[in-house]
Coordinates of all heavy atoms in Angstrom, one line a residue:
L43 N 22.5 28.5 119.4 CA 22.2 27.6 118.3 C 21.2 28.3 117.3 O 21.4 28.2 116.1 CB 21.6 26.3 118.8 CG 21.4 25.2 117.7 CD1 22.7 24.9 117.0 CD2 20.8 24.0 118.3
E44 N 20.2 29.0 117.9 CA 19.2 29.6 117.0 C 19.7 30.8 116.2 O 19.1 31.2 115.2 CB 18.0 30.0 117.9 CG 18.3 31.0 119.0 CD 18.7 30.3 120.3 OE1 19.0 29.1 120.2 OE2 18.6 30.9 121.4
S45 N 20.8 31.4 116.6 CA 21.4 32.5 115.9 C 22.9 32.3 115.6 O 23.7 33.2 115.7 CB 21.2 33.8 116.7 OG 21.8 33.7 118.0
L46 N 23.2 31.0 115.3 CA 24.5 30.5 115.2 C 25.4 31.4 114.2 O 26.4 31.9 114.5 CB 24.6 29.1 114.8 CG 26.0 28.4 114.7 CD1 26.6 28.4 116.1 CD2 25.9 27.0 114.2
K47 N 24.8 31.5 113.0 CA 25.5 32.2 111.9 C 25.9 33.7 112.3 O 27.0 34.1 112.2 CB 24.7 32.2 110.6 CG 25.4 32.8 109.4 CD 24.5 32.6 108.2 CE 25.2 33.3 107.0 NZ 24.4 33.1 105.7
E48 N 24.9 34.4 112.8 CA 25.1 35.8 113.2 C 26.0 35.9 114.3 O 26.9 36.8 114.4 CB 23.8 36.5 113.5 CG 22.8 36.6 112.3 CD 23.5 37.3 111.1 OE1 24.1 38.3 111.3 OE2 23.3 36.8 109.9
D49 N 25.9 35.0 115.3 CA 26.8 35.0 116.5 C 28.2 34.8 116.2 O 29.1 35.5 116.7 CB 26.3 34.0 117.5 CG 25.0 34.4 118.2 OD1 24.5 35.6 118.0 OD2 24.4 33.6 118.9
I50 N 28.5 33.9 115.3 CA 29.9 33.6 114.9 C 30.4 34.8 114.1 O 31.6 35.1 114.3 CB 30.0 32.3 114.0 CG1 29.7 31.1 115.0 CG2 31.3 32.1 113.4 CD1 29.7 29.7 114.3
K51 N 29.6 35.4 113.2 CA 30.1 36.5 112.5 C 30.4 37.7 113.5 O 31.4 38.4 113.3 CB 29.0 37.0 111.5 CG 28.9 36.1 110.3 CD 27.6 36.4 109.4 CE 27.7 37.8 108.8 NZ 26.5 38.0 107.9
E52 N 29.6 37.8 114.5 CA 29.9 38.9 115.5 C 31.2 38.6 116.3 O 32.0 39.5 116.6 CB 28.7 39.0 116.5 CG 28.8 40.1 117.5 CD 28.8 41.5 116.9 OE1 28.3 41.7 115.7 OE2 29.4 42.4 117.5
F53 N 31.4 37.3 116.6 CA 32.6 36.9 117.2 C 33.8 37.2 116.4 O 34.8 37.7 116.9 CB 32.5 35.4 117.6 CG 33.9 34.8 118.0 CD1 34.4 35.1 119.2 CD2 34.6 34.0 117.1 CE1 35.7 34.5 119.5 CE2 35.8 33.4 117.4 CZ 36.4 33.7 118.7
F54 N 33.7 36.9 115.1 CA 34.9 37.2 114.2 C 35.2 38.7 114.2 O 36.3 39.1 114.1 CB 34.6 36.7 112.8 CG 34.8 35.2 112.6 CD1 34.3 34.6 111.5 CD2 35.6 34.5 113.4 CE1 34.5 33.2 111.3 CE2 35.8 33.1 113.3 CZ 35.3 32.5 112.2
K55 N 34.1 39.5 114.2 CA 34.2 40.9 114.1 C 34.9 41.4 115.4 O 35.9 42.2 115.3 CB 32.9 41.6 114.0 CG 32.9 43.1 113.8 CD 31.5 43.6 113.5 CE 31.6 45.1 113.2 NZ 30.2 45.7 112.8
I56 N 34.5 41.0 116.6 CA 35.0 41.5 117.8 C 36.5 41.0 118.0 O 37.3 41.7 118.5 CB 34.1 41.0 119.0 CG1 32.8 41.6 118.9 CG2 34.8 41.3 120.3 CD1 31.7 41.0 119.9
S57 N 36.8 39.8 117.6 CA 38.1 39.2 117.8 C 39.1 39.6 116.8 O 40.3 39.2 117.0 CB 38.0 37.6 117.9 OG 37.5 37.2 116.6
G58 N 38.7 40.3 115.8 CA 39.7 40.8 114.8 C 39.9 39.9 113.6 O 40.6 40.3 112.6
W59 N 39.2 38.7 113.6 CA 39.4 37.8 112.5 C 38.7 38.3 111.2 O 39.1 38.0 110.1 CB 38.9 36.4 112.8 CG 39.9 35.7 113.7 CD1 39.8 35.6 115.1 CD2 41.1 35.1 113.4 NE1 40.9 34.9 115.6 CE2 41.7 34.6 114.5 CE3 41.7 34.9 112.2 CZ2 42.9 33.9 114.5 CZ3 42.9 34.2 112.1 CH2 43.5 33.7 113.3
E60 N 37.6 39.1 111.4 CA 36.9 39.6 110.2 C 37.8 40.6 109.5 O 37.9 40.6 108.2 CB 35.7 40.4 110.7 CG 34.8 41.0 109.5 CD 33.7 41.8 110.0 OE1 33.9 42.9 110.7 OE2 32.5 41.5 109.7
K61 N 38.6 41.4 110.2 CA 39.5 42.3 109.6 C 40.6 41.6 108.8 O 41.0 42.0 107.7 CB 40.2 43.2 110.7 CG 41.1 44.3 110.1 CD 40.3 45.4 109.4 CE 39.5 46.2 110.5 NZ 38.9 47.4 109.8
K62 N 41.1 40.5 109.4 CA 42.1 39.7 108.7 C 41.6 39.1 107.4 O 42.3 39.0 106.4 CB 42.6 38.6 109.6 CG 43.4 39.0 110.8 CD 43.9 37.9 111.7 CE 44.7 38.4 112.8 NZ 45.2 37.3 113.7
L63 N 40.3 38.7 107.4 CA 39.7 38.1 106.2 C 39.5 39.2 105.2 O 39.7 39.0 104.0 CB 38.3 37.5 106.6 CG 37.5 36.9 105.4 CD1 38.3 35.8 104.7 CD2 36.2 36.3 105.9
Q64 N 39.0 40.4 105.6 CA 38.9 41.5 104.7 C 40.2 41.9 104.0 O 40.3 42.1 102.8 CB 38.4 42.8 105.5 CG 36.9 42.7 105.9 CD 36.4 43.8 106.7 OE1 37.2 44.7 107.1 NE2 35.1 43.9 106.9
N65 N 41.3 41.9 104.8 CA 42.6 42.2 104.3 C 43.0 41.2 103.2 O 43.7 41.5 102.2 CB 43.6 42.3 105.4 CG 43.5 43.6 106.2 OD1 42.8 44.5 105.9 ND2 44.1 43.6 107.4
A66 N 42.7 39.9 103.5 CA 43.1 38.8 102.6 C 42.3 39.0 101.3 O 42.9 38.8 100.2 CB 42.8 37.5 103.2
V67 N 41.0 39.3 101.4 CA 40.2 39.5 100.2 C 40.7 40.7 99.4 O 40.9 40.7 98.2 CB 38.7 39.7 100.5 CG1 37.9 40.1 99.3 CG2 38.2 38.4 101.1
Y68 N 41.0 41.8 100.1 CA 41.5 43.0 99.5 C 42.8 42.7 98.8 O 43.1 43.2 97.6 CB 41.7 44.1 100.5 CG 42.0 45.4 99.9 CD1 41.0 46.2 99.3 CD2 43.3 46.0 100.0 CE1 41.2 47.4 98.7 CE2 43.5 47.2 99.4 CZ 42.5 47.9 98.8 OH 42.8 49.2 98.2
S69 N 43.7 41.9 99.4 CA 45.0 41.6 98.8 C 44.8 40.8 97.5 O 45.5 41.0 96.5 CB 45.8 40.7 99.8 OG 47.0 40.3 99.2
E70 N 43.8 39.8 97.5 CA 43.5 39.1 96.3 C 43.0 39.9 95.2 O 43.4 39.8 94.0 CB 42.6 37.9 96.6 CG 43.1 36.8 97.5 CD 44.2 36.1 96.8 OE1 44.3 36.0 95.6 OE2 45.1 35.6 97.6
L71 N 42.1 40.9 95.5 CA 41.6 41.8 94.5 C 42.6 42.7 93.9 O 42.5 43.0 92.7 CB 40.5 42.7 95.2 CG 39.2 42.0 95.5 CD1 38.3 43.0 96.3 CD2 38.4 41.6 94.2
S72 N 43.7 43.0 94.6 CA 44.8 43.8 94.1 C 45.5 43.2 93.0 O 46.1 43.9 92.1 CB 45.7 44.2 95.3 OG 45.1 44.9 96.2
V73 N 45.6 41.8 93.0 CA 46.3 41.2 91.9 C 45.4 40.4 90.9 O 45.9 39.8 90.0 CB 47.4 40.2 92.5 CG1 48.4 40.9 93.4 CG2 46.7 39.1 93.4
F74 N 44.1 40.5 91.2 CA 43.2 39.7 90.4 C 43.2 40.2 88.9 O 43.2 41.4 88.7 CB 41.8 39.8 91.0 CG 40.9 38.6 90.6 CD1 41.1 37.4 91.3 CD2 40.0 38.6 89.6 CE1 40.4 36.3 91.0 CE2 39.2 37.5 89.3 CZ 39.4 36.3 90.0
P75 N 43.2 39.3 87.9 CA 43.2 39.7 86.5 C 41.9 40.5 86.2 O 40.9 40.4 86.9 CB 43.2 38.4 85.8 CG 43.7 37.4 86.7 CD 43.3 37.9 88.1
L76 N 42.0 41.4 85.2 CA 40.8 42.2 84.8 C 39.7 41.2 84.3 O 40.0 40.2 83.8 CB 41.2 43.1 83.7 CG 42.2 44.2 84.0 CD1 42.7 44.9 82.8 CD2 41.7 45.1 85.1
P77 N 38.4 41.5 84.6 CA 37.3 40.7 84.2 C 37.3 40.4 82.7 O 37.7 41.2 81.9 CB 36.1 41.5 84.5 CG 36.5 42.5 85.6 CD 37.9 42.8 85.3
S78 N 37.0 39.1 82.3 CA 37.0 38.8 80.9 C 35.8 37.8 80.7 O 35.1 37.5 81.6 CB 38.3 38.1 80.5 OG 38.5 36.9 81.2
H79 N 35.6 37.4 79.4 CA 34.5 36.6 79.1 C 34.6 35.2 79.8 O 35.8 34.7 79.8 CB 34.4 36.4 77.6 CG 33.1 35.7 77.2 ND1 32.9 34.4 77.2 CD2 31.9 36.3 76.7 CE1 31.7 34.1 76.8 NE2 31.1 35.3 76.5
P80 N 33.6 34.7 80.4 CA 33.7 33.4 81.1 C 34.3 32.2 80.2 O 34.9 31.3 80.7 CB 32.2 33.0 81.5 CG 31.5 34.4 81.5 CD 32.2 35.2 80.5
A81 N 34.0 32.3 78.9 CA 34.5 31.2 78.0 C 35.9 31.5 77.5 O 36.4 30.7 76.7 CB 33.5 31.1 76.9
A82 N 36.5 32.6 78.0 CA 37.9 32.9 77.5 C 38.9 31.8 77.9 O 38.8 31.4 79.0 CB 38.3 34.3 78.0
P83 N 39.7 31.4 77.0 CA 40.7 30.4 77.3 C 41.8 30.9 78.2 O 41.9 32.2 78.4 CB 41.4 30.1 75.9 CG 41.1 31.3 75.1 CD 39.8 31.9 75.6
P84 N 42.5 30.1 78.9 CA 43.5 30.5 79.9 C 44.5 31.5 79.4 O 44.9 32.4 80.0 CB 44.2 29.2 80.4 CG 43.1 28.1 80.1 CD 42.4 28.6 78.9
E85 N 45.0 31.2 78.1 CA 46.0 32.1 77.5 C 45.5 33.5 77.3 O 46.2 34.5 77.3 CB 46.5 31.5 76.2 CG 45.5 31.4 75.1 CD 44.9 30.0 75.1 OE1 44.9 29.3 76.1 OE2 44.4 29.6 74.0
H86 N 44.1 33.6 77.1 CA 43.5 35.0 77.0 C 43.6 35.7 78.3 O 43.7 36.9 78.3 CB 42.1 34.8 76.5 CG 41.5 36.1 76.0 ND1 41.6 36.7 74.8 CD2 40.7 37.0 76.7 CE1 41.0 37.8 74.7 NE2 40.4 38.0 75.9
L87 N 43.4 35.0 79.4 CA 43.5 35.6 80.7 C 44.9 36.1 81.0 O 45.1 37.1 81.7 CB 43.1 34.6 81.8 CG 41.6 34.1 81.7 CD1 41.4 33.1 82.8 CD2 40.6 35.2 81.9
K88 N 45.9 35.4 80.5 CA 47.3 35.8 80.6 C 47.6 37.1 79.8 O 48.3 38.0 80.3 CB 48.2 34.7 80.2 CG 48.3 33.5 81.2 CD 48.8 32.3 80.6 CE 50.3 32.4 80.3 NZ 51.2 32.5 81.5
E89 N 47.1 37.1 78.6 CA 47.3 38.2 77.7 C 46.3 38.1 76.5 O 46.3 37.2 75.8 CB 48.8 38.2 77.1 CG 49.0 39.1 76.0 CD 48.6 40.6 76.3 OE1 49.0 41.1 77.3 OE2 47.8 41.2 75.5
P90 N 45.4 39.1 76.4 CA 44.4 39.0 75.4 C 44.8 39.2 73.9 O 44.2 38.8 73.0 CB 43.4 40.2 75.8 CG 44.3 41.1 76.6 CD 45.3 40.3 77.3
L91 N 46.0 39.9 73.7 CA 46.4 40.1 72.3 C 47.4 39.0 71.8 O 48.4 38.8 72.4 CB 47.1 41.5 72.2 CG 46.3 42.7 72.6 CD1 47.1 44.0 72.5 CD2 45.0 42.8 71.7
V92 N 47.0 38.4 70.7 CA 47.7 37.3 70.2 C 49.2 37.7 69.8 O 50.1 36.9 70.2 CB 47.0 36.7 68.9 CG1 47.9 35.6 68.3 CG2 45.6 36.1 69.3
Y93 N 49.4 38.8 69.2 CA 50.7 39.2 68.8 C 51.6 39.4 70.0 O 52.8 39.2 69.9 CB 50.7 40.4 67.8 CG 50.4 41.7 68.4 CD1 51.5 42.6 68.8 CD2 49.1 42.2 68.6 CE1 51.3 43.8 69.3 CE2 48.9 43.5 69.1 CZ 50.0 44.3 69.5 OH 49.8 45.5 70.0
M94 N 51.0 39.9 71.1 CA 51.8 40.1 72.3 C 52.3 38.7 72.9 O 53.4 38.5 73.3 CB 51.0 40.8 73.4 CG 50.8 42.3 73.1 SD 52.3 43.3 73.6 CE 51.6 44.9 73.3
R95 N 51.3 37.7 72.9 CA 51.7 36.4 73.3 C 52.8 35.8 72.5 O 53.7 35.1 73.0 CB 50.4 35.5 73.3 CG 49.3 35.9 74.3 CD 48.4 34.7 74.7 NE 47.7 34.2 73.5 CZ 46.5 34.6 73.1 NH1 45.9 35.5 73.8 NH2 45.9 34.0 72.1
K96 N 52.7 36.0 71.2 CA 53.7 35.4 70.3 C 55.1 36.0 70.6 O 56.1 35.4 70.6 CB 53.3 35.6 68.8 CG 52.2 34.7 68.4 CD 51.8 34.9 66.9 CE 50.8 33.9 66.5 NZ 50.4 34.1 65.0
A97 N 55.1 37.3 70.7 CA 56.3 38.1 71.0 C 56.9 37.6 72.3 O 58.1 37.4 72.4 CB 56.1 39.6 71.0
Q98 N 56.1 37.4 73.3 CA 56.6 36.9 74.6 C 57.1 35.5 74.5 O 58.2 35.2 75.1 CB 55.5 37.0 75.7 CG 55.8 36.4 77.0 CD 57.0 37.2 77.7 OE1 57.1 38.4 77.6 NE2 57.8 36.4 78.5
G99 N 56.4 34.7 73.7 CA 56.9 33.3 73.5 C 58.3 33.3 72.8 O 59.2 32.5 73.2
S100 N 58.5 34.1 71.8 CA 59.7 34.2 71.1 C 60.8 34.7 72.0 O 62.0 34.2 72.0 CB 59.6 35.1 69.9 OG 58.7 34.6 69.0
W101 N 60.5 35.7 72.9 CA 61.5 36.2 73.8 C 61.9 35.1 74.8 O 63.1 35.0 75.1 CB 60.9 37.4 74.5 CG 61.7 38.1 75.6 CD1 61.3 38.3 76.8 CD2 63.1 38.6 75.5 NE1 62.3 38.9 77.6 CE2 63.4 39.1 76.7 CE3 64.0 38.7 74.4 CZ2 64.6 39.7 77.0 CZ3 65.2 39.2 74.7 CH2 65.6 39.8 75.9
E102 N 61.0 34.4 75.3 CA 61.3 33.3 76.2 C 62.2 32.3 75.6 O 63.2 31.8 76.3 CB 60.0 32.6 76.7 CG 59.2 33.5 77.7 CD 57.8 32.9 77.9 OE1 57.5 31.8 77.5 OE2 56.9 33.6 78.4
K103 N 62.0 31.9 74.4 CA 62.9 30.9 73.7 C 64.3 31.5 73.6 O 65.3 30.8 73.8 CB 62.3 30.6 72.3 CG 61.1 29.8 72.3 CD 60.5 29.5 70.9 CE 59.2 28.7 71.0 NZ 58.6 28.6 69.6
R104 N 64.4 32.8 73.3 CA 65.7 33.4 73.2 C 66.4 33.4 74.5 O 67.7 33.2 74.6 CB 65.5 34.9 72.7 CG 66.8 35.6 72.5 CD 66.5 37.0 71.8 NE 67.6 37.9 72.0 CZ 67.5 39.2 71.7 NH1 66.4 39.6 71.1 NH2 68.5 40.0 71.9
I105 N 65.7 33.7 75.6 CA 66.3 33.7 77.0 C 66.8 32.3 77.3 O 67.9 32.1 77.8 CB 65.3 34.1 78.0 CG1 64.9 35.6 77.8 CG2 65.9 34.0 79.4 CD1 63.8 36.1 78.7
L106 N 66.0 31.3 77.0 CA 66.3 29.9 77.4 C 67.5 29.4 76.5 O 68.4 28.7 77.0 CB 65.1 29.0 77.1 CG 65.0 27.7 77.9 CD1 65.2 28.0 79.4 CD2 63.7 27.0 77.7
K107 N 67.6 29.9 75.3 CA 68.7 29.5 74.4 C 70.0 30.1 75.0 O 71.1 29.5 75.0 CB 68.5 30.0 73.0 CG 69.5 29.6 72.0 CD 69.2 30.2 70.6 CE 70.3 29.8 69.6 NZ 70.0 30.3 68.2

Side-chain angles (χ1 to χ4, degrees):
L43 186 62
E44 57 272 18
S45 55
L46 184 63
K47 184 176 178 180
E48 295 304 316
D49 289 348
I50 289 179
K51 284 169 67 176
E52 184 63 24
F53 166 72
F54 279 162
K55 187 174 183 178
I56 295 170
S57 60
W59 285 100
E60 181 186 62
K61 184 72 71 177
K62 290 180 181 179
L63 179 59
Q64 286 176 351
N65 289 344
V67 171
Y68 190 75
S69 178
E70 290 298 329
L71 285 171
S72 296
V73 297
F74 207 78
L76 298 172
S78 61
H79 193 277
E85 62 268 21
H86 189 87
L87 297 177
K88 288 163 67 67
E89 169 53 53
L91 299 178
V92 175
Y93 76 93
M94 287 279 186
R95 293 204 299 269
K96 286 183 177 179
Q98 176 62 31
S100 298
W101 175 236
E102 288 167 12
K103 288 176 183 176
R104 182 174 160 185
I105 295 171
L106 207 51
K107 184 179 179 182

